[in-house]
Amino acid sequence: MAMLVTGGAGFIGSNFIRRVLSADPKAWIVDLDLLTYAGTEENLKDLPDGQRHSFVRGDIGDRALLADLLRRHRIDTIVHFAAETHVDRSLADPSPFFRTNVMGTLALLEAARGYWIREKPFPLEAVRFHHISTDEVFGSLSPEDPPFSETSPYAPSSPYAASKAAADHLVRAYFRSYGLPVTITHCSNNYGPRQFPEKLVALTIANALRGEPIPVYGDGGQIRDWLYVEDHCEAVRAVLARGKPGAIYLIGGGNQLTNLSLVEKVCGLMDELLPKSVHRPHAKLISPFADRPGHDRRYALDGSKIQRELGWSSRETLDSGLRKTVKWYRANPAWMRAVLGNPGHREWIAAHYGRRGNR
């Protein structure tokens, strides 16, 4: 398998690369990443069997680069993680989200169509384009609503979600119009090692370690389903191995709780694992902030299809996954220093939370 992974220097992409290199001794990975603020080569240090990984810094919107990479490395599998993903940033400036998530996906689809369908280097059944989507394209659930399914209508609430919905429609259209062998997965909120500290779990840990305020939007009652990143990576591997072309699968962690409850749980773990911390109890750092516009109240996914058809289910409980995550951040201070020192991170945190202010 010669695989192109887009966004492989990011959080989920780098964990996926590690998992593939560990699990499949025949896999060769070309990793394409532009290294924007959330992607870092720190995530690619000490890869298992790293000689089977080739890093290329570049833009998924660069069609000439994509065509060259596919031909030169005889790529038969594309796993498309690259995306702008932070809702708050999309509210501040939607343009990069549509440039990367929509036009970038279009360029990648066109490159795959040009190589696999026009040039026909492999039998079509031997190639796969896998697109990573999100539960946010479906909009918000009320507390009594059943979880989203593969047939739920799209109702995105943020520019980020709208850009991902548009990308999903493109991927589906290339399957229907051109016969490009695609699969799509929608995942719930990921957490785990190497997550950029603007997302809730990573930000909570980073701020707790430094004794800084831990922001919680509104009343903290927004409900999310939490998925450990390594479980997500295994689900994607299952889809690549056994998923049907054109199929859509939902990947959920089965861990629904409010944002405030999650932050309190992380703070409790920090108290336990850092008994000498001067910031204990870490829950005293929790600070309510003005809610963001259009904040969806609840997400939940019905993962029965991927369990039934592909035999995948999450291995980590929320408690075990969070424990592993906190321990990883504690054990990797050099990674923390490098990422927290990123000007893009410092400036965003200061501007965004300073502007919103405490309620």
Side-chain angles (χ1 to χ4, degrees):
M1 177 166 52
M3 179 186 295
L4 175 65
V5 176
T6 69
F11 164 47
I12 307 176
S14 63
N15 278 283
F16 177 75
I17 287 171
R18 289 175 183 277
R19 184 60 192 143
V20 171
L21 292 175
S22 296
D24 188 347
K26 295 182 179 180
W28 166 262
I29 295 176
V30 178
D31 176 2
L32 177 63
D33 198 298
L34 190 56
L35 295 182
T36 57
Y37 75 93
T40 172
E41 289 186 90
E42 292 289 324
N43 288 341
L44 302 174
K45 290 183 175 179
D46 303 318
L47 290 175
D49 206 359
Q51 69 270 19
R52 292 187 288 118
H53 168 265
S54 176
F55 177 74
V56 178
R57 183 170 185 174
D59 190 339
I60 60 170
D62 186 338
R63 296 195 182 194
L65 173 62
L66 294 174
D68 175 67
L69 290 177
L70 294 184
R71 292 190 188 99
R72 180 151 47 95
H73 297 283
R74 290 184 57 80
I75 298 295
D76 57 39
T77 305
I78 296 172
V79 184
H80 181 30
F81 289 100
E84 295 283 349
T85 65
H86 195 211
V87 172
D88 291 339
R89 288 181 184 262
S90 81
L91 292 167
D93 183 5
S95 298
F97 289 76
F98 287 86
R99 183 168 56 249
T100 297
N101 299 356
V102 182
M103 300 310 296
T105 299
L106 175 61
L108 198 58
L109 288 163
E110 273 294 282
R113 181 168 78 101
Y115 183 49
W116 291 342
I117 294 179
R118 290 176 181 154
E119 299 182 21
K120 298 181 173 62
F122 316 105
L124 204 53
E125 62 270 17
V127 301
R128 179 62 58 86
F129 185 111
H130 183 69
H131 176 64
I132 308 295
S133 187
T134 172
D135 54 5
E136 297 196 36
V137 299
F138 302 120
S140 184
L141 293 169
S142 65
E144 65 275 6
D145 286 335
F148 297 123
S149 73
E150 284 80 4
T151 58
S152 293
Y154 280 26
S157 302
S158 67
Y160 159 63
S163 71
K164 290 298 288 184
D168 294 355
H169 291 320
L170 279 172
V171 175
R172 290 181 177 186
Y174 270 65
F175 174 69
R176 292 290 299 273
S177 296
Y178 304 117
L180 190 72
V182 307
T183 42
I184 299 174
T185 49
H186 298 268
C187 65
S188 56
N189 283 37
N190 278 223
Y191 69 98
R194 302 178 186 86
Q195 188 170 33
F196 193 76
E198 64 183 2
K199 301 296 180 73
L200 184 58
V201 172
L203 179 62
T204 297
I205 296 170
N207 285 15
L209 286 170
R210 296 177 296 170
E212 297 184 0
I214 299 169
V216 174
Y217 284 145
D219 63 0
Q222 304 86 4
I223 296 171
R224 301 292 182 261
D225 177 22
W226 293 92
L227 173 68
Y228 189 61
V229 65
E230 292 182 6
D231 282 334
H232 183 191
C233 294
E234 278 301 295
V236 173
R237 291 186 66 239
V239 173
L240 290 174
R242 301 184 294 279
K244 299 176 181 178
I248 298 166
Y249 300 94
L250 303 190
I251 307 170
N255 300 297
Q256 292 185 55
L257 73 169
T258 66
N259 286 349
L260 180 58
S261 296
L262 177 75
V263 170
E264 290 172 341
K265 187 179 284 288
V266 173
C267 287
L269 269 174
M270 301 288 287
D271 291 347
E272 175 191 338
L273 296 174
L274 284 78
K276 297 182 180 180
S277 171
V278 298
H279 308 303
R280 295 175 74 247
H282 292 89
K284 70 184 180 184
L285 299 170
I286 297 173
S287 300
F289 274 70
D291 208 353
R292 70 184 182 207
H295 201 173
D296 290 332
R297 195 63 177 174
R298 173 176 168 246
Y299 304 137
L301 296 179
D302 178 355
S304 59
K305 179 179 177 180
I306 194 171
Q307 294 176 16
R308 182 178 66 253
E309 294 188 6
L310 306 185
W312 175 88
S313 60
S314 58
R315 295 182 178 181
E316 297 292 341
T317 66
L318 184 61
D319 287 340
S320 67
L322 286 176
R323 183 174 293 273
K324 286 183 176 182
T325 303
V326 171
K327 286 183 175 180
W328 187 89
Y329 281 94
R330 280 191 61 209
N332 289 274
W335 185 94
M336 292 284 286
R337 285 193 298 272
V339 173
L340 291 174
N342 181 325
H345 173 70
R346 294 198 312 269
E347 293 166 7
W348 167 257
I349 293 295
H352 181 68
Y353 290 106
R355 181 174 65 248
R356 302 188 74 84
N358 293 69
R359 279 195 302 115

